[in-house]
Amino acid sequence: MSSALSTLGAGGFSVGLELPLDNDWSMAARQAGSPRLPGEPDLQRHAELAKLADRLGFRALWLRDVPLYDPAFGDAAQVFEVFTYLGYLAGITRNILLGTAAVALPLREPLLTMKAAASVDQLSNGRLLLGIASGDRPVEYPLFGRDFAGRGQAFREQVGLIRNWAADYLPPGIKVLPRPPRPLPLLVAGLAQQTPAWLGQQMDGCLAYPGTPEDHAHRAAAWRAVAGNDKPYISFIHLDLADDAHAPMRRHRFGGRVGRKGLVAELAAMQEAGVGHIGLHFRQNRRPLAETMAEIAEFVLPEFHLAGNVADVAEAAVV
């Protein structure tokens, strides 16, 4: 197991954050209006909030890979090119893991994907978690000169290249540098046009769509049936953290509004269902993000990150 995967699973369950660190999907933000495209996040504070997440002890920062803005999807994700942004985050953070959720492999030139991922892994001192997928936006494939129907085969071929670092592909003496000192951890989002058995054998972990603890109990069991018990099952929650610590869970699509005590109960239920890591997504959150992150770090993370570094909590609300 890679050191990044070991760090992710330390203590048996961990909590991270999904970028962008923005709450532009909240009702107040929508009513206020914005000059940005629908779905385009406000990234003015991305650096300070990423550094704050690192200081507060969140375990991972997750980035989506959305090469082109398509208004039909209504979501521009975190906007920045994923490997460029990972390199930047590697330079401004120290401990937090850096994950992709997920890179659409068939859209990319395979050798350059390998070089970019290995560069981020070394520049971050082994903190990369490489989430990968086959891609699900048909409009992108012809624009990149790629075959949408053949993306499953392209995905398998690229996984093979990454696994043996193109040893069977390159001419003698030709290498892709840098080469990771240990295999990069590969986490699959969705089925990537593959069979569950193939994914269980080839992948190091699973990135699952958001759901309830009951949903995850079935999905995690299905993952363990093909992958065994040592490969993590990871998912995400779209969180709106209520001011009232005792506010009960009120579910909405992909997550819910809940107080911190209910959040602890929800995460405990996720852990019981077989989830190994949860990334919190804040775009529907109504409260300021630094304040929200500080409260979670003070009252929620210690319930799960037994050896975590929960530092600078008092400072967080005034950042």
Side-chain angles (χ1 to χ4, degrees):
M1 180 180 291
S2 77
S3 59
L5 279 177
S6 297
T7 300
L8 186 75
F13 181 84
S14 62
V15 181
L17 302 174
E18 182 181 352
L19 279 76
L21 296 175
D22 185 17
N23 51 3
D24 64 329
W25 289 356
S26 67
M27 183 61 70
R30 292 200 301 268
Q31 290 175 342
S34 168
R36 302 186 303 276
L37 291 168
E40 181 182 4
D42 181 359
L43 295 168
Q44 293 184 67
R45 301 184 64 197
H46 65 106
E48 73 180 80
L49 290 172
K51 289 186 281 188
L52 178 61
D54 190 24
R55 292 201 307 272
L56 291 177
F58 288 93
R59 193 65 59 83
L61 286 173
W62 296 95
L63 290 72
R64 292 173 60 205
D65 178 28
V66 180
L68 300 175
Y69 173 69
D70 181 355
F73 280 81
D75 180 6
Q78 47 75 30
V79 173
F80 296 133
E81 194 281 321
V82 65
F83 288 115
T84 304
Y85 195 20
L86 284 168
Y88 175 77
L89 292 171
I92 66 171
T93 58
R94 296 179 58 191
N95 300 306
I96 198 164
L97 299 172
L98 304 173
T100 59
V103 170
L105 283 187
L107 288 177
R108 294 176 172 270
E109 204 292 320
L111 299 180
L112 292 179
T113 297
M114 293 165 56
K115 190 173 188 72
S119 298
V120 169
D121 187 63
Q122 291 204 23
L123 291 170
S124 67
N125 195 28
R127 289 187 280 143
L128 177 66
L129 296 164
L130 187 57
I132 55 178
S134 62
D136 61 359
R137 302 191 178 196
V139 68
E140 293 175 336
Y141 277 77
L143 295 174
F144 282 87
R146 307 288 180 169
D147 176 26
F148 184 74
R151 68 196 188 281
Q153 179 178 344
F155 179 89
R156 290 191 298 276
E157 291 171 353
Q158 291 201 38
V159 167
L161 284 174
I162 294 170
R163 286 303 192 197
N164 69 12
W165 214 243
D168 299 332
Y169 176 78
L170 296 173
I174 304 300
K175 301 181 184 299
V176 177
L177 299 178
R179 178 164 185 158
R182 58 177 61 85
L184 295 175
L186 299 183
L187 314 171
V188 67
L191 289 175
Q193 313 299 306
Q194 312 304 318
T195 66
W198 188 91
L199 294 174
Q201 180 182 30
Q202 298 292 328
M203 298 291 104
D204 300 310
C206 171
L207 297 169
Y209 292 106
T212 66
E214 295 75 18
D215 294 331
H216 289 306
H218 296 293
R219 298 177 193 168
W223 170 248
R224 289 193 299 272
V226 295
N229 296 323
D230 297 328
K231 296 182 178 182
Y233 175 94
I234 298 160
S235 193
F236 302 87
I237 294 176
H238 288 215
L239 177 66
D240 181 8
L241 187 69
D243 292 290
D244 179 3
H246 298 275
M249 172 66 80
R250 298 183 61 183
R251 298 193 186 277
H252 54 61
R253 189 184 184 204
F254 298 145
R257 176 170 173 80
V258 66
R260 66 173 184 254
K261 292 184 178 296
L263 178 59
V264 169
E266 181 77 0
L267 293 176
M270 294 285 190
Q271 182 179 18
E272 179 67 22
V275 180
H277 175 86
I278 284 287
L280 303 177
H281 182 287
F282 286 136
R283 295 187 80 176
Q284 297 188 57
N285 196 69
R286 306 180 200 184
R287 295 167 57 187
L289 294 194
E291 174 188 306
T292 299
M293 291 161 59
E295 182 173 334
I296 293 171
E298 182 175 2
F299 296 104
V300 178
L301 295 191
E303 299 290 331
F304 303 99
H305 294 187
L306 300 181
N309 174 29
V310 183
D312 296 328
V313 174
E315 172 191 340
V318 296
V319 170

